[in-house]
Amino acid sequence: MTKLATYEIDIVKSNTSKLETVDFENLVFGRTFTDHMFYCDYKDGQWQQPKIVPYGPMTFEPSARVFHYGQAVFEGMKAYKDEDGNAFLFRPEENYERINKSAARLAIPEFPKEYFFEGLTTILNMDKDWIKSGKGNSLYIRPFVIATEPAISASPALTYRFMIICSPAKAYYTGGVRVLFAEKYSRSANGGVGFAKAAGNYAAQFYPTSLAQAKGFQQIIWTDANTHENLEEAGTMNIFFRVNDTLITAPTSDRILDGVTRKSVIQLAKDSDVKVEVRPVSVKEIKEAARNDSLKEIFGAGTAAVISPISAFEHGGDIFELELKSDSYAAFFKEKMLNIQHNLAEDPHGWRYKI
Ligand code: COI
């Protein structure tokens, strides 16, 4: 682990709060940010003094490497509040480990664990009033690292900034999501960065997704780049298929994000005696299952998306509409997950982390 220059956080508090101006009932995902942000710079081979300052613009040179080569990684996590005002994170160790796995792949130095947790808990305590209680409310937390060195040769930067910003959130998707199964474009390849939360993984989806949207589909379920025969992930979420009463999802690999919600659904399914198969899922079998009525549902699982049912899919010109049922696995696992996150149910696996 990288040596620390110092441990205490320098704090400059905001003189005013935007809290009273926010309409918490009508939030658009990712548009509103809390009063403070955390940041920590890396230079001379070590992470420097961490700081919390009022949320606002920052200045970087136009030559900062992130603007040219996309040397940037991020995380998505959420804080929840119970009815007594206690705030919790959900499996934050997973996010800490994953941001450093992503960072390693992008040649970014590891961020120290003490800084991550101290930064996270300090900013969340300062902006605690932004976490609203009630199922469906959360504070979305976005840790990220960017390469700040002002130099445009194509090589890893010598300076970085790690930051945490926070945004109150409701649902990412409302209602069922209509998806295309990818036939031409690819999200990731063997040996690539698909498993990492690399900023460029998301930018690369924008163009094909806009083509899908023009056809009336909000998202793409990406298939393997070699054959386009196996279903992998949706880019904003991992994907589960229910065939009869069995839940099927693709195994993680260097092409697929190791989602925290994904692994939590798999565990909850095992706890609930729902049969789960983690194995390659082919387009062919899912189309066949849709045709013979054994495909009961498809849903996505992700931090922002929580658990979002898929209401239709398209492949090869065939469109399959999926009925959204109230007794679905999607509804069952979403309820179970939210109850744990909001401290309304036992937490047998120790996933809640009290702030
Ligand atoms: C998340 O679920 O946290 C993600 O990173 C998806 C993002 C596109 C909002």
Side-chain angles (χ1 to χ4, degrees):
M1 186 174 285
T2 322
K3 256 182 62 205
L4 309 183
T6 176
Y7 185 65
E8 300 229 323
I9 302 174
D10 252 3
I11 296 178
V12 179
K13 278 197 173 161
S14 173
N15 292 328
T16 55
S17 173
K18 296 170 293 198
L19 192 58
E20 296 308 317
T21 66
V22 176
D23 177 358
F24 280 87
E25 285 313 305
N26 295 296
L27 293 165
V28 179
F29 184 87
R31 292 279 171 86
T32 305
F33 294 92
T34 63
D35 292 323
H36 297 94
M37 59 188 186
F38 170 90
Y39 75 92
C40 185
D41 286 327
Y42 180 89
K43 69 172 183 184
D44 301 331
Q46 61 182 11
W47 292 97
Q48 306 292 314
Q49 174 75 54
K51 295 182 178 152
I52 292 179
V53 295
Y55 179 90
M58 304 198 118
T59 304
F60 300 101
E61 290 207 27
S63 54
R65 287 189 198 272
V66 65
F67 300 136
H68 304 272
Y69 306 116
Q71 200 189 2
V73 295
F74 71 94
E75 264 308 313
M77 49 204 302
K78 279 180 174 169
Y80 310 86
K81 214 175 232 178
D82 69 11
E83 295 302 331
D84 298 326
N86 302 302
F88 301 91
L89 289 162
F90 184 71
R91 311 187 72 176
E93 292 265 345
E94 298 283 341
N95 300 94
Y96 171 71
E97 278 165 24
R98 194 172 59 185
I99 200 168
N100 280 331
K101 271 192 202 148
S102 301
R105 180 63 180 82
L106 275 280
I108 294 173
E110 181 179 346
F111 194 65
K113 192 167 187 175
E114 302 88 314
Y115 277 26
F116 184 85
F117 280 92
E118 194 65 22
L120 203 49
T121 50
T122 308
I123 192 171
L124 289 175
N125 275 309
M126 289 172 70
D127 286 345
K128 206 168 183 171
D129 292 345
W130 290 78
I131 315 171
K132 298 296 177 194
S133 60
K135 272 195 257 180
N137 293 324
S138 63
L139 186 70
Y140 184 79
I141 303 161
R142 174 51 65 85
F144 63 105
V145 195
I146 55 171
T148 51
E149 188 191 5
I152 57 166
S153 56
S155 55
L158 295 175
T159 65
Y160 296 88
R161 180 161 291 183
F162 175 97
M163 300 193 64
I164 301 175
I165 55 175
C166 307
S167 174
K170 280 196 172 285
Y172 192 82
Y173 296 111
T174 46
V177 186
R178 299 175 68 82
V179 297
L180 289 185
F181 289 177
E183 293 179 69
K184 175 178 176 188
Y185 295 99
S186 299
R187 174 186 172 274
S188 61
N190 292 337
V193 295
F195 71 90
K197 280 187 91 70
N201 279 347
Y202 294 77
Q205 295 178 65
F206 295 163
Y207 174 67
T209 304
S210 72
L211 299 179
Q213 285 167 350
K215 291 186 177 174
F217 298 91
Q218 288 146 280
Q219 283 290 309
I220 295 173
I221 297 187
W222 298 102
T223 47
D224 68 289
N226 287 346
T227 66
H228 292 297
E229 281 173 7
N230 290 315
L231 293 153
E232 302 213 310
E233 66 150 285
T236 54
M237 33 189 198
N238 296 104
I239 291 290
F240 287 83
F241 303 86
R242 174 182 176 181
V243 176
N244 292 318
D245 284 339
T246 301
L247 208 48
I248 313 171
T249 194
T252 52
S253 66
D254 52 5
R255 301 184 306 273
I256 300 184
L257 187 83
D258 184 10
V260 180
T261 313
R262 172 190 176 278
K263 65 175 74 160
S264 305
V265 169
I266 293 172
Q267 185 61 56
L268 290 175
K270 288 180 180 161
D271 295 351
S272 312
D273 290 328
V274 169
K275 190 172 170 216
V276 199
E277 291 177 5
V278 178
R279 60 160 174 85
V281 192
S282 73
V283 172
K284 188 161 168 267
E285 72 172 291
I286 294 304
K287 286 179 81 172
E288 267 170 27
R291 288 199 174 101
N292 69 26
D293 260 353
S294 58
L295 179 70
K296 303 301 178 197
E297 55 183 301
I298 305 179
F299 62 85
T303 298
V306 192
I307 291 181
S308 295
I310 304 299
S311 55
F313 71 88
E314 190 273 355
H315 180 266
D318 301 324
I319 297 181
F320 298 86
E321 303 287 338
L322 299 169
E323 198 187 336
L324 302 183
K325 297 200 182 122
S326 55
D327 63 347
S328 63
Y329 278 175
F332 175 77
F333 290 118
K334 183 173 180 184
E335 187 66 11
K336 272 204 169 295
M337 191 91 72
L338 290 177
N339 283 343
I340 295 175
Q341 290 165 336
H342 288 267
N343 196 21
L344 292 165
E346 289 296 304
D347 179 22
H349 302 289
W351 289 341
R352 274 194 299 267
Y353 177 101
K354 196 158 187 285
I355 299 161

